[in-house]
Amino acid sequence: TEAGRRLRPEAERALLQFQAAMDSARQAAQPAPVTLRVGFVTLGLMGPLPGAIRAMEQARPDVSVRLEEGATADLLERVAEGRLDLALFHPVERRPPGVAVRPVRRDRIIAALPSSHRLAGRGKVSLRDLAEDPLILFPAASGADLRRGILQAYRDFGLTPRIEQEARSTPTMLLLVAAGLGYALVAESARYLPFSNVAFVALSDLPDTLDWGLWLGWREGALSEAARDFAARLDTGARASRPGGP
């Protein structure tokens, strides 16, 4: 009818407005996408980080985690400057002002030896057993306090280690060990890395206070809801990935 033809444009406009309102409502109901910037040292990848990312992807699809690898000192500087939301790092005595920290996990320190090493078949070795062999150690920039503690442990026994190679990451250290260039002191989690020609042996004489710690840092007063959620998942992952089980 003529009346129907006149009403049709108005009905079409009303339908379009209704559809636009429904689209707006759906968009409003969906959380805005969030990018979480997380820095890490290698030990994080051998521990809680992969599991926390998978759990976050399943529970919080609105949050995307962007990873940035680095050395401890550099990661803490980036946190202090607001370029990272969270960072997993090795413990330090001094940190930049305004950065809050807490422990996430502790790993025992063990020896990584070439599989052809004379002591590779032992259940335990001592620092004295290894002191004459070339040591592959990480540089101070990768963990000054831990390096200082390890060197002090040698001095306490009247020993001087033969540091002949340095490498920033555990995988690189293990590659050098596998090539027969020396032994390394690494976190116990390194046992689970896929390296052949490397034997992992417990150390009998390191002090209990000396361990390969993993800590979490963030800028004080700037911990977002997404960052708190991810930090909780890191704690869960740290318990699950601890050598020997939860």
Side-chain angles (χ1 to χ4, degrees), residues 110-218:
I110 61 174
L113 312 175
S115 57
S116 59
H117 193 278
R118 68 189 186 283
L119 303 175
R122 285 198 187 179
K124 288 186 177 181
V125 296
S126 68
L127 295 181
R128 189 174 298 279
D129 292 331
L130 298 170
E132 297 301 318
D133 290 43
L135 172 62
I136 301 162
L137 193 60
F138 52 89
S142 295
D145 294 346
L146 181 56
R147 179 187 168 104
R148 188 161 47 247
I150 289 173
L151 295 180
Q152 184 60 50
Y154 282 93
R155 286 193 292 269
D156 289 343
F157 290 103
L159 305 171
T160 302
R162 290 176 50 200
I163 303 173
E164 296 198 0
Q165 305 290 340
E166 289 189 341
R168 290 183 56 177
S169 73
T170 297
T172 303
M173 293 168 69
L174 293 178
L175 284 170
L176 295 173
V177 170
L181 298 182
Y183 72 98
L185 302 183
V186 298
E188 189 174 15
S189 300
R191 288 181 184 273
Y192 307 112
L193 292 176
F195 280 90
S196 58
N197 301 323
V198 176
F200 296 98
V201 184
L203 287 164
S204 61
D205 52 358
L206 278 185
D208 292 338
T209 54
L210 187 61
D211 58 58
W212 207 294
L214 187 65
W215 286 53
L216 182 67
W218 64 93

Side-chain angles (χ1 to χ4, degrees), residues 27 55 71 123 219:
Q27 291 174 1
R219 198 162 65 160

Side-chain angles (χ1 to χ4, degrees), residues 48 52 76 79 86-92 95 99-106 213-220 223 226-239 242:
L76 288 174
V79 169
L86 295 168
L88 287 165
F89 61 93
H90 299 305
V92 291
R95 59 182 184 271
V99 176
V101 302
R102 66 169 175 80
V104 172
R105 156 180 173 153
R106 294 175 59 185
L214 187 65
W215 286 53
L216 182 67
W218 64 93
R219 198 162 65 160
E220 292 178 351
L223 195 61
R228 283 193 298 272
D229 192 352
F230 189 73
R233 298 178 194 281
L234 285 171
D235 291 332
T236 301
R239 290 190 295 271
R242 186 174 293 119

Side-chain angles (χ1 to χ4, degrees), residues 31-42:
V34 176
T35 298
L36 199 58
R37 303 160 300 172
V38 180
F40 68 96
V41 292
T42 305

